[in-house]
Every structure is written in C-alpha cells, then in structure tokens.
Amino acid sequence: MANKHIIIIGGGIIGLSCAYFLHKSGHQVTILDQSKMDGGASYVNAGYLAPSHLIPLAAPGVMKQGLKWMLDKKSPLYIKPRLNTDFIKWTWAFNKSCTSQHVEQSVPVMREIAVMGRDLYDQIKQEEGFNFQLEKKGLLMLCQTDQTLHHEEELVKIAQNEGLGAQILSKDEVQKMMPDTSLDIVGATYFECDHHTTPGEFMNDLKTYLVDAGVVILKEEKVIDIIAHNKRITSIKTEKQTLTADEYVLAAGSWTSTLSRKLNINLLVQAGKGYRVQTTTSTGITYPSILAEAKIAITPMNGFTRFAGTMEIAGINHRIHTHRIDAIAEGVHRYFPQVRITKQEKDAAECGLRPVSPDGMPYIGKSSKCDNLTLATGHAMMGWSLGPSTGKLVQEIIDNKTPSMPMEMFHPDRKFGT
C-alpha cells in the first residue's frame, strides 16, 4: 500500500482521531482548522464514553416534544423555526426519521461503534502513555418521577439485550454510592458499561502526540474553496494558500455541509449548540450522572465538576443565552439541593456546536460524487464517544480495508425515513 498525503479539514475530536489512525497507518497528514483549536464542542462536552446512549436523537415523539418546547426558552431541546432551505429540508428529514423502525435498526449499530470508541480510548492511552483522565465508573440516570424511571427502565432492558451492563437502583442505593450529597430523586438506572474523561486533557495529549509525530497542524487556516475535476478534489484554497493532497477528509463539524456543497454534496447537517458551566467547589458528586427529566449531564472531571446540557438548533452562532445557563443551574439544584452554581461560574459558561444529522447517525464514508474525499461528521451528542472509532473507520476506508463494522447506516448519500 502506497503511503499518501492526506489533508483533514477540521481539528476537533473527529479530525484529530482521523489524523492519529492515518498517521499510524503510515500516511503523511496535514490538519487544517479555522480556529485556534482550543475551544468548541470537543472541549466543552460532558466527556462521556457512552455505549448506553443507544437511542438516536431521531426517535418517536421527539419532534412532537420539540414543538412543545419551542415555547419554552429554558427547554432541553430548542429548534428555532426559520425560513432557510437547508433547515426546512433537515427538519423534514428529521421528522421522517423519528420512527420505531429507525430506532430498532440504529440500536445495534450505535452499540457497536460506541463500544469500539470507548475501548479505543483505553487502547490509545495504554499504547501512547497518555495521561488524560479515563475512569470506568459507569453512568447514573437520576429520575425524579416514577414515570421517567419507568421509561429509563425500558432503556436498561434494551442495553441488557445488547449485552451491556445496566441495572435499576433505588434512591438509597444511589445515596450509598455518593454519601456526601443530598439527593432529590425517586431512583435511578446505572450503566456500568460507560466510562468518562476530561476532554481538554485528551485533546492536548493527542495534539502533542501528533505534532511530535510529524503531523502538520495549521490553525486559523480557514478553507474558502474546494476545487474538483472529474469527481476528484485537485486542490483546497484557504485564506492564506492553496494546498494539494492525494486524499481529503472533511471533518469540519457543523461547517461540513457548507464545504461539501462546493462539491455538489448536499449533506443535511444542523448545528446543535450545547452549553457547559463548571465549579471547582466540592459537590460530593463522584459518579457521572444525567438528570433524566432536566436532560443535564454532570461529570466529575480532574479538578472540577462539569454541568452540561441543552440542544439548541438555531444555526451557526456562539451566542451564550443566559436563560439556558440559568436552566442548567436550576436543574442541578433541584436534584442536588446542596449544589449552588454561583453567578461567577455562570458568567464563565462556554458553548460548542455539535453537528446533527437528521437521523442522529453520523456520516462516515465516501459520497458517490467525489472519489478522494471521506466524510466524517454529523455525530450529534455522540461525537466525543465516537471520535476514535470514527478515526479508525476513516483510516480503513482510505486504506481500502474491510471496515471494522457495517457502514451502511453511516453512508453520506443515504436517504432518510425510507
């Protein structure tokens, strides 16, 4: 196999993971990113490696619930209606994908790629001697109502059927796990299969490794055009220069659809904004926990506790809406009455944009419209979990090897709701 020069557009968790596996396979790799590569979704996420997240965002009832939540500025899911052709097409495809059949088909696929991603984090840490936090403490789903607990119990059954460790816990059992907290819940489910990390640590370990290995990383290098001929990219123009390579990987997150359109690839992707606020004050929360009704994730990271939440589909922007930060703070306090997030901590909140496909499944693979481009985007809330597995699959595709798992549901040219 001849080694190739490969340009990766996008330096988030997906782009860096692609670079890692392509470099390990012997290729010469260049990464382009329009930012300073020190913020965004890859840095502000909850850090979960979560095979438990088997159900895609596009599931029965989600669109109906989203319409109800449109009137609530503090709702966990907010879809801002707007007269934009791409948004209208995405919404239509999303609605068509919210079926039981889609969920049934997605569950085993999501399990496989998520377990693969989780285990690759462990493998990379061992092989490279990285120092990032990786803890195997599982994930709690904390419930305040019997109705929600019953719903979560159904998800436990699905996880168990997929061979994942999961169980139902009483309030007292959860309290024994975290004795230094006060808890306002009726019970919880517990997914032993999940791990967690501190995202910034892994990103820094990976960037340092790649630079030391000879991978070229060009920050603040915005791609403005992609030139193609006969279904092959011939060059890429940035604001600073023109670059060429043998193969290209488009892993630009929420910006991917804008760039893919230059190749006549109409990728349906919407930016899903998520927020994070954190505290260095001791909370007593020692297990990663999702507040089931509030849809807020809590992670005990190295040196701080992170609270993350919301899915705000309102276009590409980095505006911090204080009512959403307030909703996170209020939600945490409802479940953990002793935890109070200060104004200073709320003022330091950050956000990131997650690329969301209409069916909640990532796009990984080659479009029929371009032979030397591999797409890797659309991971929604699972980008962090699926970073290494996506990188591995991209490397296998470019090396013309049989992929580690079936790829049909990730195909960039797939139809929705069929």
Side-chain angles (χ1 to χ4, degrees), residues 53 115-116 150 163 177 206 237 258 285-286 288 310 349 357 365 390:
H53 286 33
V115 169
M116 180 180 165
H150 177 70
M177 292 170 69
L206 196 49
K237 289 186 177 181
T258 302
I285 302 170
T286 53
T310 80
S357 71
T390 299

Side-chain angles (χ1 to χ4, degrees), residues 120-182:
L120 283 171
Y121 272 99
D122 206 1
Q123 179 183 314
I124 292 168
K125 181 167 186 169
Q126 302 307 320
E127 285 187 9
E128 311 304 346
F130 285 178
N131 296 313
F132 69 95
Q133 178 204 28
L134 175 60
E135 293 196 54
K136 304 175 182 180
K137 299 178 79 170
L139 174 68
L140 290 163
M141 299 289 297
L142 305 179
C143 303
Q144 288 192 314
T145 67
D146 291 327
Q147 182 182 2
T148 303
L149 184 59
H150 177 70
H151 172 72
E152 295 300 329
E153 287 169 357
E154 294 300 315
L155 298 182
V156 165
K157 291 176 188 173
I158 292 171
Q160 290 172 339
N161 288 338
E162 291 295 324
L164 299 173
Q167 60 178 296
I168 300 156
L169 300 178
S170 68
K171 177 182 177 179
D172 288 342
E173 287 172 318
V174 178
Q175 193 71 71
K176 285 176 183 174
M177 292 170 69
M178 296 193 287
D180 296 327
T181 64
S182 58

Side-chain angles (χ1 to χ4, degrees), residues 267-289:
L267 217 58
L268 294 180
V269 175
Q270 286 292 309
K273 189 190 297 177
Y275 295 87
R276 77 100 181 105
V277 59
Q278 53 202 37
T279 183
T280 55
T281 303
S282 177
T283 62
I285 302 170
T286 53
Y287 282 79
S289 304

Side-chain angles (χ1 to χ4, degrees), residues 180-202:
D180 296 327
T181 64
S182 58
L183 274 164
D184 186 2
I185 61 170
V186 297
T189 56
Y190 179 45
F191 295 90
E192 302 105 318
C193 53
D194 289 9
H195 300 168
H196 75 278
T197 60
T198 299
E201 292 181 349
F202 180 71

Side-chain angles (χ1 to χ4, degrees), residues 36-221:
K36 295 179 181 178
M37 289 176 60
D38 60 359
S42 296
Y43 296 83
V44 306
N45 66 81
Y48 295 163
L49 312 180
S52 65
H53 286 33
L54 292 164
I55 308 298
L57 184 62
V62 173
M63 180 58 81
K64 184 179 178 182
Q65 183 64 64
L67 291 171
K68 288 181 182 177
W69 276 338
M70 272 185 186
L71 302 174
D72 182 1
K73 289 185 177 181
K74 293 186 177 181
S75 64
L77 171 64
Y78 176 65
I79 303 174
K80 180 181 180 181
R82 53 201 187 277
L83 291 174
N84 172 280
T85 303
D86 291 339
F87 170 73
I88 292 168
K89 287 180 179 177
W90 181 92
T91 305
W92 179 255
F94 180 82
N95 189 47
K96 287 172 68 178
S97 300
C98 290
T99 66
S100 300
Q101 182 185 8
H102 171 59
V103 171
E104 192 176 315
Q105 292 172 339
S106 301
V107 163
V109 179
M110 288 303 292
R111 178 210 176 277
E112 188 168 359
I113 192 171
V115 169
M116 180 180 165
R118 180 199 66 187
D119 293 348
L120 283 171
Y121 272 99
D122 206 1
Q123 179 183 314
I124 292 168
K125 181 167 186 169
Q126 302 307 320
E127 285 187 9
E128 311 304 346
F130 285 178
N131 296 313
F132 69 95
Q133 178 204 28
L134 175 60
E135 293 196 54
K136 304 175 182 180
K137 299 178 79 170
L139 174 68
L140 290 163
M141 299 289 297
L142 305 179
C143 303
Q144 288 192 314
T145 67
D146 291 327
Q147 182 182 2
T148 303
L149 184 59
H150 177 70
H151 172 72
E152 295 300 329
E153 287 169 357
E154 294 300 315
L155 298 182
V156 165
K157 291 176 188 173
I158 292 171
Q160 290 172 339
N161 288 338
E162 291 295 324
L164 299 173
Q167 60 178 296
I168 300 156
L169 300 178
S170 68
K171 177 182 177 179
D172 288 342
E173 287 172 318
V174 178
Q175 193 71 71
K176 285 176 183 174
M177 292 170 69
M178 296 193 287
D180 296 327
T181 64
S182 58
L183 274 164
D184 186 2
I185 61 170
V186 297
T189 56
Y190 179 45
F191 295 90
E192 302 105 318
C193 53
D194 289 9
H195 300 168
H196 75 278
T197 60
T198 299
E201 292 181 349
F202 180 71
M203 293 295 285
N204 289 334
D205 279 350
L206 196 49
K207 284 185 291 188
T208 300
Y209 168 86
L210 292 171
V211 171
D212 290 347
V215 170
V216 177
I217 297 180
L218 302 177
K219 302 176 185 178
E220 298 182 276
E221 191 87 24

